[in-house]
C-alpha cells in the first residue's frame, strides 16, 4: 500500500480499496461494495442488496443507503486531496426518495466534490436502482486535515 504521506488521495484510495478487497476488511468488503469509478473529485460505488440489509419492513435499511452515500461522497473528497492530507465527515444529510426491495438488483452511488477548501470540503451523492431511478441522495461536509510536517 502507498504511504499516506507520499501518495495523492486518489492513489492512496486505490491502494486501500484493493487491499480491503484482497484482505476482506473495511466497510466496502463488509457490504460487498465495488468501485466502478475512481477519479479526481468523483467516485462511483455499487452494491447488491442482501437479506441481511433489511429493516423490519423487509426493504433495504436506510443505514445501508446512508453508508453507501457516506462512502462515495467521502471517497470523492479523498480523491481530491493532496499528498498526506486527511479528512473526516462532519455532517451527513440523506434524503430517501423511494423504498428499495431486497431483490431489486444492484444499487449505484455516485459521489462528487462540490467544494474543496483548505479546511472544509463538501460533496453530494445520488443512489440509483437497477432501473436508473433515484432512491436516495445526500450531501456531506468534511473537515480537511493538513499534512503532518513532522516539525
Amino acid at each position: 500500500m502507498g504511504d499516506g504521506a507520499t501518495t495523492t488521495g486518489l492513489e492512496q484510495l486505490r491502494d486501500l480499496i484493493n487491499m480491503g478487497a484482497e484482505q476482506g476488511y473495511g466497510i466496502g468488503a463488509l457490504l460487498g461494495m465495488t468501485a466502478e469509478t475512481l477519479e479526481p473529485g468523483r467516485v462511483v460505488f455499487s452494491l447488491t442488496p442482501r437479506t441481511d440489509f433489511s429493516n423490519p419492513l423487509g426493504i433495504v435499511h436506510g443505514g445501508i443507503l446512508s453508508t453507501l452515500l457516506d462512502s462515495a461522497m467521502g471517497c470523492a473528497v479523498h480523491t481530491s486531496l493532496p499528498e498526506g492530507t486527511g479528512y473526516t465527515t462532519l455532517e451527513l444529510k440523506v434524503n430517501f426518495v423511494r423504498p428499495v426491495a431486497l431483490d431489486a438488483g444492484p444499487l449505484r452511488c455516485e459521489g462528487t466534490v462540490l467544494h474543496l477548501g483548505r479546511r472544509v470540503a463538501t460533496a453530494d451523492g445520488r443512489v440509483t436502482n437497477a432501473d436508473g431511478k433515484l432512491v436516495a441522495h445526500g450531501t456531506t461536509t468534511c473537515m480537511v486535515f493538513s499534512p503532518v510536517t513532522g516539525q
Side-chain angles (χ1 to χ4, degrees):
M1 180 179 80
D3 182 335
T6 61
T7 63
T8 66
L10 180 58
E11 293 165 342
Q12 184 184 35
L13 181 63
R14 283 186 180 134
D15 288 346
L16 291 168
I17 287 174
N18 289 337
M19 182 184 290
E22 290 169 6
Q23 297 180 11
Y25 76 88
I27 194 68
L30 178 67
L31 297 181
M33 278 189 239
T34 57
E36 293 182 10
T37 304
L38 298 174
E39 57 190 39
R42 183 175 169 269
V43 169
V44 179
F45 289 144
S46 63
L47 68 76
T48 300
R50 309 184 311 234
T51 56
D52 56 337
F53 291 177
S54 75
N55 66 18
L57 300 174
I59 59 176
V60 174
H61 190 282
I64 298 294
L65 299 173
S66 297
T67 300
L68 184 57
L69 280 161
D70 187 40
S71 297
M73 294 184 298
C75 286
V77 168
H78 194 147
T79 64
S80 302
L81 296 175
E83 293 182 9
T85 305
Y87 74 97
T88 191
T89 301
L90 286 175
E91 178 189 44
L92 176 66
K93 168 74 168 91
V94 177
N95 294 288
F96 303 104
V97 176
R98 60 177 39 93
V100 178
L102 295 172
D103 62 356
L107 299 173
R108 183 175 185 272
C109 184
E110 180 173 351
T112 307
V113 171
L114 299 172
H115 168 77
L116 182 64
R118 287 185 321 122
R119 302 268 183 211
V120 173
T122 59
D124 66 1
R126 298 171 46 88
V127 180
T128 53
N129 64 17
D131 296 329
K133 292 183 179 177
L134 183 69
V135 298
H137 59 95
T139 57
T140 189
T141 302
C142 295
M143 179 186 301
V144 177
F145 301 106
S146 299
V148 177
T149 61
Q151 297 176 0

